[in-house]
Amino acid sequence: MRWSVAARGSDADVGLVLSLYRESLALKSELDGLLHARSELARSSRSVDEEGRKKKTQSIETKSRLNELRERLYFEASKLPNWVHPEIPKRGEPPRIVREFGARPVFEGFEPLTHLELATEKNCIFFSHLCGGSKFYYGKGDVALLELALINWATTFVSSKYGFAPFTTPDLISHSYVEACGFQPRTEATQVYAVQDSELCLVGTQEIPLASFYSNQILPKSSLPIKMVGFGHCFRKETGSTSEARGLYRLHQFSKVEMFVLCRPEKAKKTHQELLDIQCELLQELGLHFRAIDMPSDDLGAPAYRKYDIETWMPYRDGYGEVTSCSNCLDYQSRRLNIRCRREEGTSPEFVHTLNATAVAVPRVILSILENFQLADGTVRVPEPLVPFMANKTHLFSQRNSSAHTPLYFTQ
C-alpha cells in the first residue's frame, strides 16, 4: 500500500492508519476486559456495588475513547487510495496512447468558429451568473435538441446492443455513500458540493448512485455481471487553466450518461477492455477523431486501479480534451459499500469488483461536434446516428429549420 500511495503522489498517511488501527485494537481489548470484569462482579454473591460502579464508569469512558478513535481511523483510512496496476505509466511519465481513430478535421475555404463564437453567432448557448458563476449554461434551440439526442442515443445504444439496464439517478446522496465510493466530501480539497446543515451531497458522477444501488447486498451467482447505464446530472467544484475558464469544457453542472458494472473478480480485466471497446465504438459512430490513453499512476482517482481516458480533438483548445474515462476499481468500492456475491450455495460470500465508464459526457461531446463538423454555409453537420433522435434534422442552424427568436444577452 505504501508503494501505491507513493506512486500516486497521494498525501495519505499509511503509517498513521496502521498506528490508529493498532491503538483501536488495544483499546477494544481493554474495553472487553472491563466488560468481562463487570460481568464477573455481577455474578458474585458478595457486595460489589462500589467496584461495579467503578468498572461501569471506566467502561463508559473507554467506549467513548474507542468511538472517537474509530471515527478518526475511518477518516484517515478513507484517504487511502486503491492499489495501482503495475503496468501503467509511472508517476511523472506521459500517458500511453493505446488506440487512435480518425484524423483532425480539415476546413477548406472558410475559417471555423470556436463553440464560444458559435454560441454568440447562433444564439444557442448562454453562460450566465444567474447560478452564481459562469460555469453554468443554458442550451437553446438546436443545442438543446442535440443534448437530448445525445442522452437518448447513448442510453438506447448501450442498453439495446450490450444489455445494460437503463437507470435515472438522483442528484443528491448521503455523504457516507460518496465516501464509500472513494471521494472525500469532507476535505478542504474536495470537488464535491455538500448541502449545508445536511448529510447530503450533490452527485459528482453517476458512478456514485449506481454503485450505491446494491450496497449491503449479497448477490446471487446468476445475477453477475450486473450492467447498468445511468443518466443524471453531475455537480463539481471544477477548477482549471485559463484556457478552460470559458466555454463548455469545465462546468459546475452537466449531464452525463454513465456505464457501471459489477462482476466477479476474475472477469474484471476483460470487462475493463470491453467497456473501453464500447466507448470507442460510441465515438466512432459519431465520427469524432479521438485517442485512448492509459493514464499514469499520479493521474488516477483514488478508487481507480487502472484508468483509460479518451480524448477528442478540440480546435478551440488546439489540442485534445478528455471526453470519457474508464476505470477498473477492483473491490475498493464494494468493500466499503459491502456488496458481495456467492459462487455457490452455502459458500462464504466474496466482494465483487466494480468498473465504471462514461458513455457520453454531454457538454464536451457537444463542444466536439460544434467545432469539428462545421460547414462553409454556417451550419453544423449532425452525426448520422443522432439524426433520428433530432426529428430527422441533419444540420444544426440551417435556415430551413431555424425559427425567429428574440436574441438573449448574458455576460460570460
Side-chain angles (χ1 to χ4, degrees):
M1 177 53 70
R2 281 190 171 93
W3 177 83
S4 293
V5 169
R8 293 169 179 269
S10 170
D11 60 358
D13 192 335
V14 180
L16 176 59
V17 172
L18 288 173
S19 176
L20 292 171
Y21 176 68
R22 295 188 184 106
E23 189 177 346
S24 69
L25 290 180
L27 206 55
K28 177 64 166 60
S29 178
E30 181 181 338
L31 177 61
D32 289 343
L34 289 168
L35 293 175
H36 178 73
R38 282 184 62 194
S39 178
E40 289 297 311
L41 285 169
R43 292 194 192 97
S44 175
S45 59
R46 54 192 175 87
S47 179
V48 292
D49 288 350
E50 184 176 347
E51 185 67 17
R53 284 193 294 270
K54 181 180 178 182
K55 295 296 184 185
K56 181 179 181 180
T57 300
Q58 289 177 330
S59 62
I60 291 173
E61 291 175 349
T62 303
K63 185 176 182 179
S64 177
R65 287 163 51 206
L66 180 59
N67 288 338
E68 290 177 3
L69 184 61
R70 282 176 170 171
E71 185 173 346
R72 187 183 175 200
L73 171 61
Y74 178 84
F75 179 73
E76 295 297 335
S78 68
K79 298 178 183 179
L80 295 176
N82 203 346
W83 304 103
V84 169
H85 193 291
E87 296 177 7
I88 67 174
K90 302 299 186 290
R91 180 183 178 187
E93 295 179 355
R96 182 187 302 120
I97 298 174
V98 294
R99 299 187 194 179
E100 283 190 275
F101 175 82
R104 300 180 190 180
V106 176
F107 303 97
E108 296 183 357
F110 74 103
E111 186 68 27
L113 302 178
T114 69
H115 74 285
L116 288 167
E117 292 168 333
L118 279 169
T120 300
E121 182 175 295
K122 305 299 183 180
N123 197 41
C124 60
I125 303 172
F126 310 98
F127 300 89
S128 80
H129 293 277
L130 296 178
C131 304
S134 60
K135 292 185 182 294
F136 298 87
Y137 78 99
Y138 288 79
K140 180 175 179 286
D142 283 355
V143 166
L145 292 176
L146 180 60
E147 174 154 346
L148 296 173
L150 283 165
I151 293 166
N152 279 284
W153 167 71
T155 304
T156 301
F157 183 94
V158 172
S159 60
S160 62
K161 186 169 183 178
Y162 291 103
F164 283 70
F167 280 74
T168 55
T169 60
D171 291 339
L172 290 165
I173 195 166
S174 169
H175 75 70
S176 62
Y177 291 103
V178 177
E179 290 178 336
C181 288
F183 303 90
Q184 298 179 29
R186 294 186 291 181
T187 62
E188 291 183 3
T190 184
Q191 290 290 302
V192 178
Y193 284 106
V195 179
Q196 189 173 4
D197 300 324
S198 170
E199 291 296 306
L200 297 174
C201 297
L202 288 169
V203 169
T205 170
Q206 273 57 61
E207 169 190 349
I208 297 171
L210 291 175
S212 302
F213 186 79
Y214 287 99
S215 61
N216 298 312
Q217 293 192 38
I218 298 177
L219 305 171
K221 172 187 176 182
S222 60
S223 68
L224 296 177
I226 292 175
K227 302 189 292 185
M228 300 178 277
V229 57
F231 160 72
H233 302 106
C234 303
F235 303 86
R236 299 182 187 176
K237 297 179 180 179
E238 292 280 21
T239 58
S241 64
T242 303
S243 65
E244 298 171 351
R246 301 171 69 244
L248 291 175
Y249 188 79
R250 200 171 290 280
L251 298 163
H252 290 318
Q253 177 184 338
F254 58 94
S255 300
K256 188 169 71 159
V257 179
E258 180 86 359
M259 296 179 284
F260 194 85
V261 178
L262 301 99
C263 69
R264 294 173 181 266
E266 67 272 16
K267 299 292 186 181
K269 181 179 180 179
K270 181 181 178 182
T271 301
H272 196 199
Q273 294 301 315
E274 290 172 346
L275 287 171
L276 180 62
D277 291 342
I278 295 172
Q279 289 180 312
C280 290
E281 186 177 358
L282 286 164
L283 292 173
Q284 287 174 5
E285 288 283 314
L286 293 177
L288 291 167
H289 167 47
F290 67 84
R291 65 184 187 184
I293 52 180
D294 194 3
M295 300 304 291
S297 60
D298 55 342
D299 207 351
L300 301 178
Y305 170 64
R306 187 175 201 170
K307 180 167 77 84
Y308 298 111
D309 281 357
I310 299 182
E311 302 176 324
T312 61
W313 179 256
M314 297 181 179
Y316 100 109
R317 291 167 60 90
D318 192 28
Y320 292 92
E322 176 198 341
V323 292
T324 73
S325 64
C326 179
S327 298
N328 180 1
C329 298
L330 303 182
D331 59 357
Y332 184 84
Q333 293 173 326
S334 62
R335 285 182 179 275
R336 295 163 174 234
L337 291 166
N338 192 29
I339 309 173
R340 296 174 291 168
C341 70
R342 294 187 192 277
R343 289 189 177 271
E344 302 292 343
E345 288 297 325
T347 61
S348 298
E350 62 181 33
F351 292 103
V352 301
H353 281 199
T354 63
L355 303 98
N356 64 82
T358 315
V360 57
V362 176
R364 292 187 181 183
V365 176
I366 289 176
L367 185 165
S368 300
I369 290 172
L370 292 179
E371 295 198 349
N372 284 283
F373 297 152
Q374 293 180 53
L375 302 175
D377 63 1
T379 63
V380 174
R381 179 175 59 82
V382 176
E384 187 175 344
L386 301 182
V387 172
F389 295 89
M390 293 194 64
N392 294 321
K393 184 188 290 285
T394 59
H395 293 78
L396 305 178
F397 317 127
S398 64
Q399 292 298 316
R400 182 166 58 92
N401 292 312
S402 64
S403 59
H405 56 265
T406 302
L408 300 175
Y409 299 96
F410 287 85
T411 56
Q412 167 73 5

